mmCIF file of all heavy atoms in Angstrom:
data_model
loop_
_atom_site.group_PDB
_atom_site.id
_atom_site.type_symbol
_atom_site.label_atom_id
_atom_site.label_comp_id
_atom_site.label_asym_id
_atom_site.label_seq_id
_atom_site.Cartn_x
_atom_site.Cartn_y
_atom_site.Cartn_z
ATOM 1 N N ASN A 964 57.231 21.585 -61.705
ATOM 2 C CA ASN A 964 57.130 22.260 -60.413
ATOM 3 C C ASN A 964 56.871 23.726 -60.709
ATOM 4 O O ASN A 964 57.602 24.330 -61.501
ATOM 5 C CB ASN A 964 58.427 22.127 -59.604
ATOM 6 C CG ASN A 964 58.643 20.714 -59.122
ATOM 7 O OD1 ASN A 964 57.789 20.164 -58.461
ATOM 8 N ND2 ASN A 964 59.768 20.128 -59.475
ATOM 9 N N ALA A 965 55.845 24.281 -60.093
ATOM 10 C CA ALA A 965 55.481 25.663 -60.384
ATOM 11 C C ALA A 965 54.873 26.314 -59.154
ATOM 12 O O ALA A 965 54.458 25.643 -58.207
ATOM 13 C CB ALA A 965 54.485 25.706 -61.539
ATOM 14 N N VAL A 966 54.821 27.649 -59.194
ATOM 15 C CA VAL A 966 54.236 28.439 -58.115
ATOM 16 C C VAL A 966 53.222 29.391 -58.736
ATOM 17 O O VAL A 966 53.497 30.024 -59.761
ATOM 18 C CB VAL A 966 55.325 29.237 -57.356
ATOM 19 C CG1 VAL A 966 54.710 30.154 -56.316
ATOM 20 C CG2 VAL A 966 56.332 28.295 -56.711
ATOM 21 N N LEU A 967 52.066 29.488 -58.120
ATOM 22 C CA LEU A 967 51.023 30.408 -58.558
ATOM 23 C C LEU A 967 51.293 31.769 -57.943
ATOM 24 O O LEU A 967 51.411 31.900 -56.724
ATOM 25 C CB LEU A 967 49.650 29.890 -58.138
ATOM 26 C CG LEU A 967 48.440 30.723 -58.546
ATOM 27 C CD1 LEU A 967 48.331 30.794 -60.069
ATOM 28 C CD2 LEU A 967 47.170 30.134 -57.945
ATOM 29 N N GLU A 968 51.422 32.801 -58.809
ATOM 30 C CA GLU A 968 51.654 34.177 -58.371
ATOM 31 C C GLU A 968 50.591 35.050 -59.016
ATOM 32 O O GLU A 968 50.698 35.386 -60.190
ATOM 33 C CB GLU A 968 53.054 34.632 -58.783
ATOM 34 C CG GLU A 968 54.158 33.785 -58.181
ATOM 35 C CD GLU A 968 55.522 34.043 -58.811
ATOM 36 O OE1 GLU A 968 55.577 34.673 -59.892
ATOM 37 O OE2 GLU A 968 56.520 33.609 -58.227
ATOM 38 N N GLY A 969 49.543 35.365 -58.267
ATOM 39 C CA GLY A 969 48.416 36.099 -58.842
ATOM 40 C C GLY A 969 47.720 35.215 -59.859
ATOM 41 O O GLY A 969 47.275 34.123 -59.541
ATOM 42 N N GLU A 970 47.670 35.675 -61.104
ATOM 43 C CA GLU A 970 47.061 34.881 -62.179
ATOM 44 C C GLU A 970 48.114 34.183 -63.036
ATOM 45 O O GLU A 970 47.796 33.611 -64.072
ATOM 46 C CB GLU A 970 46.187 35.784 -63.052
ATOM 47 C CG GLU A 970 44.980 36.319 -62.314
ATOM 48 C CD GLU A 970 44.083 37.134 -63.217
ATOM 49 O OE1 GLU A 970 44.310 37.172 -64.440
ATOM 50 O OE2 GLU A 970 43.131 37.731 -62.697
ATOM 51 N N ARG A 971 49.370 34.225 -62.610
ATOM 52 C CA ARG A 971 50.463 33.644 -63.399
ATOM 53 C C ARG A 971 51.043 32.425 -62.695
ATOM 54 O O ARG A 971 51.276 32.431 -61.485
ATOM 55 C CB ARG A 971 51.555 34.688 -63.581
ATOM 56 C CG ARG A 971 52.723 34.176 -64.391
ATOM 57 C CD ARG A 971 53.671 35.266 -64.684
ATOM 58 N NE ARG A 971 53.011 36.146 -65.637
ATOM 59 C CZ ARG A 971 53.625 37.028 -66.377
ATOM 60 N NH1 ARG A 971 54.919 37.174 -66.266
ATOM 61 N NH2 ARG A 971 52.971 37.783 -67.212
ATOM 62 N N LEU A 972 51.294 31.391 -63.461
ATOM 63 C CA LEU A 972 51.904 30.160 -62.981
ATOM 64 C C LEU A 972 53.312 30.107 -63.573
ATOM 65 O O LEU A 972 53.474 30.108 -64.792
ATOM 66 C CB LEU A 972 51.083 28.959 -63.437
ATOM 67 C CG LEU A 972 51.423 27.603 -62.867
ATOM 68 C CD1 LEU A 972 51.159 27.577 -61.363
ATOM 69 C CD2 LEU A 972 50.608 26.517 -63.551
ATOM 70 N N THR A 973 54.346 30.107 -62.721
ATOM 71 C CA THR A 973 55.721 30.066 -63.212
ATOM 72 C C THR A 973 56.442 28.879 -62.598
ATOM 73 O O THR A 973 56.182 28.500 -61.456
ATOM 74 C CB THR A 973 56.488 31.356 -62.871
ATOM 75 O OG1 THR A 973 56.501 31.540 -61.457
ATOM 76 C CG2 THR A 973 55.857 32.565 -63.521
ATOM 77 N N GLY A 974 57.341 28.297 -63.378
ATOM 78 C CA GLY A 974 58.084 27.160 -62.867
ATOM 79 C C GLY A 974 58.940 26.536 -63.941
ATOM 80 O O GLY A 974 59.307 27.183 -64.918
ATOM 81 N N HIS A 975 59.262 25.253 -63.754
ATOM 82 C CA HIS A 975 60.053 24.531 -64.745
ATOM 83 C C HIS A 975 59.536 23.104 -64.879
ATOM 84 O O HIS A 975 58.888 22.580 -63.980
ATOM 85 C CB HIS A 975 61.547 24.555 -64.395
ATOM 86 C CG HIS A 975 61.891 23.767 -63.179
ATOM 87 N ND1 HIS A 975 61.809 24.271 -61.915
ATOM 88 C CD2 HIS A 975 62.314 22.484 -63.038
ATOM 89 C CE1 HIS A 975 62.162 23.341 -61.048
ATOM 90 N NE2 HIS A 975 62.472 22.248 -61.701
ATOM 91 N N ALA A 976 59.858 22.515 -66.019
ATOM 92 C CA ALA A 976 59.414 21.149 -66.313
ATOM 93 C C ALA A 976 60.582 20.375 -66.910
ATOM 94 O O ALA A 976 61.383 20.931 -67.653
ATOM 95 C CB ALA A 976 58.238 21.175 -67.285
ATOM 96 N N THR A 977 60.678 19.094 -66.573
ATOM 97 C CA THR A 977 61.737 18.247 -67.116
ATOM 98 C C THR A 977 61.154 16.941 -67.640
ATOM 99 O O THR A 977 60.132 16.464 -67.144
ATOM 100 C CB THR A 977 62.817 17.910 -66.068
ATOM 101 O OG1 THR A 977 62.220 17.217 -64.980
ATOM 102 C CG2 THR A 977 63.510 19.153 -65.560
ATOM 103 N N THR A 978 61.827 16.408 -68.641
ATOM 104 C CA THR A 978 61.486 15.090 -69.168
ATOM 105 C C THR A 978 62.769 14.402 -69.591
ATOM 106 O O THR A 978 63.770 15.063 -69.871
ATOM 107 C CB THR A 978 60.483 15.169 -70.343
ATOM 108 O OG1 THR A 978 59.984 13.864 -70.626
ATOM 109 C CG2 THR A 978 61.101 15.763 -71.588
ATOM 110 N N PHE A 979 62.756 13.087 -69.622
ATOM 111 C CA PHE A 979 63.907 12.298 -70.032
ATOM 112 C C PHE A 979 63.539 11.570 -71.317
ATOM 113 O O PHE A 979 62.491 10.923 -71.382
ATOM 114 C CB PHE A 979 64.268 11.281 -68.945
ATOM 115 C CG PHE A 979 65.495 10.469 -69.268
ATOM 116 C CD1 PHE A 979 66.755 10.982 -69.035
ATOM 117 C CD2 PHE A 979 65.380 9.201 -69.809
ATOM 118 C CE1 PHE A 979 67.889 10.245 -69.334
ATOM 119 C CE2 PHE A 979 66.500 8.450 -70.122
ATOM 120 C CZ PHE A 979 67.758 8.973 -69.872
ATOM 121 N N ILE A 980 64.385 11.710 -72.342
ATOM 122 C CA ILE A 980 64.124 11.039 -73.616
ATOM 123 C C ILE A 980 65.338 10.215 -74.024
ATOM 124 O O ILE A 980 66.463 10.483 -73.612
ATOM 125 C CB ILE A 980 63.774 12.029 -74.745
ATOM 126 C CG1 ILE A 980 64.959 12.938 -75.064
ATOM 127 C CG2 ILE A 980 62.531 12.836 -74.419
ATOM 128 C CD1 ILE A 980 64.847 13.675 -76.375
ATOM 129 N N MET A 981 65.091 9.238 -74.856
ATOM 130 C CA MET A 981 66.151 8.461 -75.481
ATOM 131 C C MET A 981 66.310 8.985 -76.905
ATOM 132 O O MET A 981 65.320 9.096 -77.648
ATOM 133 C CB MET A 981 65.790 6.975 -75.494
ATOM 134 C CG MET A 981 65.552 6.384 -74.114
ATOM 135 S SD MET A 981 66.976 6.470 -73.034
ATOM 136 C CE MET A 981 67.947 5.133 -73.689
ATOM 137 N N LEU A 982 67.534 9.331 -77.275
ATOM 138 C CA LEU A 982 67.781 9.864 -78.610
ATOM 139 C C LEU A 982 67.359 8.885 -79.700
ATOM 140 O O LEU A 982 66.806 9.283 -80.725
ATOM 141 C CB LEU A 982 69.266 10.219 -78.767
ATOM 142 C CG LEU A 982 69.779 11.333 -77.851
ATOM 143 C CD1 LEU A 982 71.289 11.462 -77.986
ATOM 144 C CD2 LEU A 982 69.079 12.639 -78.132
ATOM 145 N N GLU A 983 67.628 7.615 -79.488
ATOM 146 C CA GLU A 983 67.276 6.609 -80.495
ATOM 147 C C GLU A 983 65.774 6.566 -80.775
ATOM 148 O O GLU A 983 65.360 6.230 -81.874
ATOM 149 C CB GLU A 983 67.773 5.231 -80.066
ATOM 150 C CG GLU A 983 69.282 5.109 -80.139
ATOM 151 C CD GLU A 983 69.791 3.733 -79.738
ATOM 152 O OE1 GLU A 983 68.994 2.905 -79.256
ATOM 153 O OE2 GLU A 983 70.995 3.497 -79.910
ATOM 154 N N ASP A 984 64.950 6.929 -79.774
ATOM 155 C CA ASP A 984 63.501 6.963 -79.982
ATOM 156 C C ASP A 984 63.101 8.005 -81.024
ATOM 157 O O ASP A 984 62.015 7.941 -81.595
ATOM 158 C CB ASP A 984 62.768 7.254 -78.671
ATOM 159 C CG ASP A 984 62.831 6.100 -77.691
ATOM 160 O OD1 ASP A 984 63.176 4.974 -78.106
ATOM 161 O OD2 ASP A 984 62.533 6.322 -76.501
ATOM 162 N N TYR A 985 63.975 9.000 -81.242
ATOM 163 C CA TYR A 985 63.703 10.065 -82.200
ATOM 164 C C TYR A 985 64.619 9.973 -83.426
ATOM 165 O O TYR A 985 64.807 10.951 -84.142
ATOM 166 C CB TYR A 985 63.856 11.432 -81.522
ATOM 167 C CG TYR A 985 62.773 11.702 -80.517
ATOM 168 C CD1 TYR A 985 62.923 11.335 -79.178
ATOM 169 C CD2 TYR A 985 61.578 12.302 -80.891
ATOM 170 C CE1 TYR A 985 61.916 11.562 -78.254
ATOM 171 C CE2 TYR A 985 60.570 12.536 -79.978
ATOM 172 C CZ TYR A 985 60.751 12.158 -78.667
ATOM 173 O OH TYR A 985 59.751 12.386 -77.752
ATOM 174 N N SER A 986 65.219 8.819 -83.624
ATOM 175 C CA SER A 986 66.122 8.587 -84.767
ATOM 176 C C SER A 986 67.300 9.556 -84.781
ATOM 177 O O SER A 986 67.765 9.975 -85.846
ATOM 178 C CB SER A 986 65.356 8.669 -86.090
ATOM 179 O OG SER A 986 64.304 7.723 -86.107
ATOM 180 N N ILE A 987 67.787 9.917 -83.602
ATOM 181 C CA ILE A 987 68.960 10.781 -83.468
ATOM 182 C C ILE A 987 70.129 9.899 -83.048
ATOM 183 O O ILE A 987 70.056 9.225 -82.013
ATOM 184 C CB ILE A 987 68.719 11.894 -82.424
ATOM 185 C CG1 ILE A 987 67.545 12.775 -82.862
ATOM 186 C CG2 ILE A 987 69.982 12.726 -82.225
ATOM 187 C CD1 ILE A 987 67.093 13.772 -81.818
ATOM 188 N N PRO A 988 71.212 9.871 -83.829
ATOM 189 C CA PRO A 988 72.341 9.012 -83.466
ATOM 190 C C PRO A 988 73.004 9.480 -82.172
ATOM 191 O O PRO A 988 73.122 10.675 -81.911
ATOM 192 C CB PRO A 988 73.294 9.137 -84.648
ATOM 193 C CG PRO A 988 72.821 10.279 -85.461
ATOM 194 C CD PRO A 988 71.420 10.590 -85.072
ATOM 195 N N VAL A 989 73.436 8.516 -81.374
ATOM 196 C CA VAL A 989 74.149 8.827 -80.132
ATOM 197 C C VAL A 989 75.537 9.340 -80.515
ATOM 198 O O VAL A 989 76.231 8.712 -81.315
ATOM 199 C CB VAL A 989 74.244 7.572 -79.241
ATOM 200 C CG1 VAL A 989 75.044 7.853 -77.996
ATOM 201 C CG2 VAL A 989 72.848 7.072 -78.886
ATOM 202 N N PRO A 990 75.962 10.499 -79.967
ATOM 203 C CA PRO A 990 77.256 11.071 -80.343
ATOM 204 C C PRO A 990 78.420 10.124 -80.039
ATOM 205 O O PRO A 990 78.424 9.415 -79.050
ATOM 206 C CB PRO A 990 77.357 12.329 -79.471
ATOM 207 C CG PRO A 990 75.951 12.658 -79.115
ATOM 208 C CD PRO A 990 75.230 11.343 -79.031
ATOM 209 N N SER A 991 79.399 10.169 -80.944
ATOM 210 C CA SER A 991 80.610 9.361 -80.800
ATOM 211 C C SER A 991 81.759 10.150 -81.418
ATOM 212 O O SER A 991 81.593 10.792 -82.448
ATOM 213 C CB SER A 991 80.432 8.028 -81.515
ATOM 214 O OG SER A 991 81.638 7.330 -81.576
ATOM 215 N N LEU A 992 82.922 10.079 -80.811
ATOM 216 C CA LEU A 992 84.091 10.770 -81.329
ATOM 217 C C LEU A 992 85.083 9.730 -81.833
ATOM 218 O O LEU A 992 85.776 9.089 -81.038
ATOM 219 C CB LEU A 992 84.734 11.644 -80.256
ATOM 220 C CG LEU A 992 85.968 12.431 -80.653
ATOM 221 C CD1 LEU A 992 85.646 13.416 -81.767
ATOM 222 C CD2 LEU A 992 86.531 13.160 -79.459
#
Side-chain angles (χ1 to χ4, degrees):
N964 290 304
V966 175
L967 181 63
E968 300 168 346
E970 294 184 8
R971 180 173 290 197
L972 189 65
T973 59
H975 68 275
T977 60
T978 192
F979 183 82
I980 65 164
M981 301 299 283
L982 296 173
E983 289 181 352
D984 290 344
Y985 291 90
S986 302
I987 299 172
V989 177
S991 171
L992 180 62

